[in-house]
Amino acid sequence: MIPINITIKDVAKELGVSYSSISRALNGKEGVSEATRQKILKTAEKMGYQPNDLARGLVNKISKTVGVIIPDINNPFFGEIVTGISDAANEKEYNIFLCISGWSPKNEQAYFDTLRKKRVDGIILKSAGKNEDYENVRSPLMIIERYSKTLEYNCVEVDNELGGYLAAKHLLDCDYRNLGFILGKEDIFASQSRLNGAARALKEYGMSINENAVIEGSFSIEGGRMAAKELFENRGEKIDAVFSMNDLIGLGVLQYCSDQNISVPDEVGVIGYDNISYSRLPQIQLTTIHQPKYELGRMLFDTLLEEIQAKDEPKQVKKVILNPELKIRKTTRVLK
Amino acid sequence: MIPINITIKDVAKELGVSYSSISRALNGKEGVSEATRQKILKTAEKMGYQPNDLARGLVNKISKTVGVIIPDINNPFFGEIVTGISDAANEKEYNIFLCISGWSPKNEQAYFDTLRKKRVDGIILKSAGKNEDYENVRSPLMIIERYSKTLEYNCVEVDNELGGYLAAKHLLDCDYRNLGFILGKEDIFASQSRLNGAARALKEYGMSINENAVIEGSFSIEGGRMAAKELFENRGEKIDAVFSMNDLIGLGVLQYCSDQNISVPDEVGVIGYDNISYSRLPQIQLTTIHQPKYELGRMLFDTLLEEIQAKDEPKQVKKVILNPELKIRKTTRVLK
DNA sequence: CTGAAAGCGCTAACAT
DNA sequence: ATGTTAGCGCTTTCAG
């Protein structure tokens, strides 16, 4: 590991050639004889030369860098997405700036600005703010999970309406009839789409959503536990199944049921959303809606890169939709 | 959100002043009258000017950027560390490049090189490779969890020897006598330190480590399950307690016990390491050694920054050690 | 207090 | 095929 930063000029001096030749050789451009190119490559290597991407970015106006703003890396849902983004980016020789907003629109906005200063080529964002904030951003931007037919931004999402439909239909197929819903207030948007899907499933059964059994909770285990308490104790409903808008909430509901000696899945059925790795632990076995998180991450980056590379062409809004899948495990009952 | 990148010159032209004045005003340097400074600040703001950090980095030789290389962001252990690093960095107006090496020394090395090209001010690294690789790096570097008295690099770690001692002592205090150990082959170094601590505890009881009950597994749930199978079925030992070198392995051991109808904690006690959030789920309740992960992350960044800012002074190796803590839960038995 | 000019490391047009 | 030069956006002497 050589510590001092060797520049293109150092290499040029060493060899007695002009430094533009070094640049040409290093970038595989023509205008250098094969002989000198080899010579240059060899001594650059020997001297431990590493090109300065700051300087490169300055002249090329491409930093080979993207920003990723997510609310919480400890939620495995985002962990897997970020892994997908990272792998896809790495293949294209891109690096990612990771920004953790903690579900705060203020932090999110601040990160957005610093990323602009860093001159990232594009941004991938899971927003905690209002959609309209990002409608008119003209630099490459991908929004995670904020599908909108009308608003003009790019977006890759796993179909939330369909996921909600699958979840509710499964509960109904299992003969649960009094469904409760715990949304995540951090992303009321996705929660609402899933609720719409659930309404469609209920309609097929000639039923509709009981608004008094819809709770706005928080996307965490503790949030799920508290929402379950509210749902079962203060709403005066006799709920026999809970549709949790993410797995963490589902885990909280299970915790509540365990504390209260409510038997799952017999008395109460529980379904989650996301299919994070912990939901398939043998002690948990949470029935859930699988989202292809890793693939989503890769798709986000690849789509972003497409847009980055199509700078000149007229911008066209990209909307990619992936499919969710029902994973039946042990927190919903099996019909005989 | 203004899309076009306004430069310092645009602002200068707008106001009819030289662009060096703009620079002075923006950076709070003296040499501008308060009147023009205010005028400059206002129109810069109005024009949506954002300084170009690439250019700044080029001249200042400080990019306000650090690289973080970790094996796996889906392991909550690293997730929390990264959150700590991110928060500490953000406070100091630093951004982080996240690199996920997948426990591959080859990827790790490749990321190390790209980070050098990006001219990061420093690197935080959880290495999967050999220690010696990084001994002579002269740019600011923090190694996670690789304490070495002899080797010359900076390091913040949670005392592994002590953690190992606490874990083994607890098992012995609970009257378990035939201890098995499942190491993580990805980081044999940390595992070994913990094993040394365990040996010390055993010694206090007049015992020593049964080498035939030491398994080199893998830091994952499935790795833990497989190692447990090996330990219980192929080693011809009657193990009554397992010290797992991380919580994921512990979860795998619990899974094995559940599959085999081995009762925990009566027949077999299980202790993990790390105290990831999932280990305290009511369905899990894994006894474990707590590591202050978030604090570790903050400490890593703060210590790195100290070194970055002490560029000129003679380098002195920094070794920070935090203390682990025993968390007794339900997978080890209570003595009457 | 302000402007002009050099230079950070690099690429790309322009000469030779 | 190679060298010279300008310039990316900025900070920082050095003049005025």
Side-chain angles (χ1 to χ4, degrees):
Chain A
M1 306 266 164
I2 295 87
I4 331 119
N5 285 325
I6 304 290
T7 78
I8 217 176
K9 290 189 181 172
D10 297 323
V11 182
K13 211 176 300 167
E14 178 79 13
L15 284 162
V17 296
S18 80
Y19 62 87
S20 48
S21 292
I22 310 286
S23 173
R24 283 188 279 256
L26 258 31
N27 292 306
K29 309 237 159 166
E30 46 199 35
V32 255
S33 69
E34 203 43 38
T36 45
R37 158 164 287 141
Q38 289 310 327
K39 206 171 54 181
I40 288 169
L41 259 40
K42 217 185 64 206
T43 63
E45 164 81 38
K46 195 190 66 202
M47 296 175 76
Y49 169 77
Q50 295 279 26
N52 184 330
D53 280 353
L54 266 43
R56 274 195 177 167
L58 190 58
V59 14
N60 292 336
K61 274 126 175 37
I62 287 179
S63 63
K64 290 271 201 175
T65 276
V66 299
V68 176
I69 307 178
I70 50 154
D72 176 13
I73 193 73
N74 287 309
N75 179 339
F77 176 67
F78 294 114
E80 291 195 35
I81 290 178
V82 168
T83 304
I85 296 173
S86 170
D87 286 355
N90 191 34
E91 284 170 19
K92 297 298 196 307
E93 303 190 285
Y94 263 75
N95 281 91
I96 63 177
F97 280 115
L98 182 71
C99 307
I100 304 176
S101 68
W103 293 109
S104 146
K106 203 163 128 271
N107 289 346
E108 183 182 310
Q109 183 60 51
Y111 271 125
F112 205 91
D113 286 345
T114 51
L115 289 176
R116 292 215 321 138
K117 295 195 197 121
K118 290 283 190 277
R119 293 299 189 266
V120 295
D121 297 342
I123 293 180
I124 295 173
L125 166 71
K126 169 69 192 190
S127 177
K130 298 191 303 306
N131 295 14
E132 293 71 22
D133 293 352
Y134 299 103
E135 193 178 5
N136 292 314
V137 176
R138 271 190 278 162
S139 55
L141 172 68
M142 297 293 314
I143 306 233
I144 303 177
E145 291 263 302
R146 272 295 180 89
Y147 183 75
S148 160
K149 278 195 251 318
T150 53
L151 297 178
E152 298 265 312
Y153 50 68
N154 303 309
C155 169
V156 173
E157 81 152 21
V158 184
D159 192 336
N160 281 305
E161 203 275 345
L162 178 57
Y165 172 81
L166 291 173
K169 180 165 190 313
H170 173 65
L171 293 175
L172 294 165
D173 287 347
C174 290
D175 255 4
Y176 297 108
R177 284 297 175 269
N178 300 296
L179 274 50
F181 302 85
I182 303 179
L183 318 189
K185 66 171 181 308
E186 297 89 348
D187 187 359
I188 213 61
F189 207 86
S191 296
Q192 191 58 52
S193 303
R194 293 170 194 174
L195 207 55
N196 294 342
R200 180 158 63 90
L202 281 158
K203 200 171 173 194
E204 290 181 2
Y205 271 76
M207 301 167 65
S208 63
I209 287 176
N210 174 357
E211 293 295 342
N212 192 39
V214 178
I215 307 260
E216 220 173 271
S218 180
F219 279 143
S220 66
I221 295 178
E222 183 54 18
R225 205 186 56 75
M226 281 165 47
K229 191 178 166 66
E230 166 73 14
L231 181 63
F232 283 97
E233 297 178 14
N234 300 335
R235 293 290 172 109
E237 304 279 345
K238 42 170 194 11
I239 301 300
D240 68 358
V242 181
F243 177 6
S244 315
M245 296 298 167
N246 82 354
D247 281 352
L248 297 177
I249 291 177
L251 293 175
V253 175
L254 291 179
Q255 182 168 345
Y256 173 82
C257 291
S258 152
D259 290 349
Q260 302 293 317
N261 288 314
I262 297 173
S263 88
V264 174
D266 296 331
E267 284 177 72
V268 167
V270 179
I271 190 166
Y273 209 103
D274 288 351
N275 194 25
I276 63 175
S277 61
Y278 301 93
S279 63
R280 65 164 175 270
L281 286 174
Q283 298 93 334
I284 309 280
Q285 292 288 329
L286 176 67
T287 294
T288 191
I289 300 295
H290 171 78
Q291 303 214 61
K293 300 166 279 297
Y294 180 81
E295 296 74 13
L296 180 65
R298 296 195 67 103
M299 199 71 106
L300 280 163
F301 179 81
D302 289 339
T303 313
L304 182 66
L305 188 60
E306 263 178 46
E307 183 170 349
I308 290 171
Q309 292 174 337
K311 261 287 202 270
D312 18 328
E313 288 138 57
K315 167 167 176 167
Q316 59 178 80
V317 179
K318 295 185 182 62
K319 307 232 182 248
V320 179
I321 304 202
L322 304 177
N323 280 329
E325 253 172 64
L326 173 66
K327 288 277 176 198
I328 301 175
R329 290 200 270 249
K330 297 284 160 58
T331 58
T332 48
R333 65 186 162 219
V334 212
L335 281 193
K336 286 145 288 272
Chain B
M1 305 264 164
I2 293 86
I4 329 118
N5 286 325
I6 304 290
T7 79
I8 217 174
K9 289 188 182 173
D10 297 324
V11 182
K13 212 177 299 167
E14 178 79 14
L15 285 162
V17 297
S18 80
Y19 62 86
S20 45
S21 293
I22 310 284
S23 173
R24 282 189 279 256
L26 258 30
N27 293 307
K29 309 239 160 164
E30 48 198 34
V32 255
S33 68
E34 202 43 37
T36 45
R37 157 163 289 142
Q38 289 310 326
K39 206 172 53 181
I40 287 170
L41 258 39
K42 216 184 65 204
T43 63
E45 164 80 36
K46 195 190 65 200
M47 297 175 74
Y49 170 77
Q50 294 280 26
N52 183 330
D53 280 352
L54 266 42
R56 273 196 177 166
L58 189 58
V59 15
N60 292 336
K61 272 122 173 44
I62 287 180
S63 63
K64 292 271 202 175
T65 275
V66 300
V68 177
I69 307 177
I70 50 153
D72 176 13
I73 193 74
N74 287 309
N75 180 338
F77 176 67
F78 294 115
E80 292 196 33
I81 290 178
V82 168
T83 305
I85 295 173
S86 170
D87 286 356
N90 191 34
E91 285 170 19
K92 297 298 196 308
E93 303 190 285
Y94 263 77
N95 281 91
I96 63 177
F97 280 115
L98 181 71
C99 307
I100 303 175
S101 68
W103 293 110
S104 146
K106 206 165 127 269
N107 290 346
E108 182 182 310
Q109 183 61 50
Y111 271 125
F112 205 89
D113 286 344
T114 51
L115 288 175
R116 292 216 320 137
K117 295 194 197 125
K118 290 283 190 271
R119 292 300 188 265
V120 295
D121 297 342
I123 293 178
I124 295 173
L125 168 70
K126 169 69 191 189
S127 178
K130 298 190 304 306
N131 296 13
E132 294 72 21
D133 294 351
Y134 299 103
E135 193 176 4
N136 292 313
V137 176
R138 270 189 278 162
S139 54
L141 173 67
M142 298 292 313
I143 306 234
I144 304 177
E145 291 264 302
R146 272 297 180 89
Y147 184 74
S148 160
K149 279 195 250 319
T150 52
L151 296 179
E152 300 264 314
Y153 51 67
N154 303 310
C155 169
V156 174
E157 81 151 22
V158 184
D159 193 336
N160 281 305
E161 202 274 345
L162 178 57
Y165 171 82
L166 291 173
K169 180 165 188 315
H170 172 66
L171 292 176
L172 293 164
D173 288 347
C174 290
D175 256 2
Y176 296 107
R177 283 298 174 270
N178 301 295
L179 275 48
F181 303 86
I182 303 180
L183 318 188
K185 65 171 182 308
E186 295 90 346
D187 188 358
I188 213 60
F189 208 87
S191 297
Q192 191 58 51
S193 302
R194 295 170 193 175
L195 206 56
N196 292 343
R200 179 157 65 88
L202 281 159
K203 199 170 173 191
E204 290 181 4
Y205 272 76
M207 301 165 65
S208 63
I209 286 176
N210 174 358
E211 294 294 342
N212 192 39
V214 178
I215 307 260
E216 221 174 88
S218 180
F219 279 144
S220 66
I221 295 178
E222 183 53 19
R225 206 187 55 76
M226 281 166 47
K229 192 177 165 64
E230 166 73 15
L231 181 63
F232 283 97
E233 297 179 12
N234 300 334
R235 293 290 171 108
E237 304 280 344
K238 41 171 192 14
I239 301 301
D240 67 358
V242 181
F243 178 5
S244 314
M245 296 300 167
N246 82 353
D247 281 352
L248 297 178
I249 291 178
L251 293 176
V253 174
L254 291 180
Q255 182 169 346
Y256 174 82
C257 290
S258 153
D259 290 349
Q260 303 292 314
N261 289 312
I262 298 172
S263 88
V264 175
D266 296 331
E267 283 177 71
V268 167
V270 179
I271 191 167
Y273 209 102
D274 287 350
N275 193 25
I276 62 176
S277 60
Y278 301 93
S279 63
R280 66 165 174 272
L281 287 174
Q283 300 92 332
I284 308 278
Q285 292 287 328
L286 177 66
T287 294
T288 191
I289 300 294
H290 172 77
Q291 303 213 61
K293 298 165 281 296
Y294 180 82
E295 296 75 11
L296 180 66
R298 296 195 66 102
M299 198 70 108
L300 279 163
F301 180 80
D302 290 338
T303 313
L304 181 67
L305 188 60
E306 264 180 45
E307 184 171 349
I308 290 171
Q309 292 174 338
K311 258 288 201 274
D312 20 326
E313 288 138 57
K315 165 169 175 166
Q316 59 179 79
V317 179
K318 296 185 182 62
K319 306 232 182 248
V320 178
I321 303 202
L322 305 177
N323 279 331
E325 255 172 63
L326 174 64
K327 289 276 175 199
I328 301 176
R329 289 199 272 251
K330 297 284 159 60
T331 58
T332 48
R333 66 187 162 215
V334 214
L335 279 193
K336 285 143 291 267

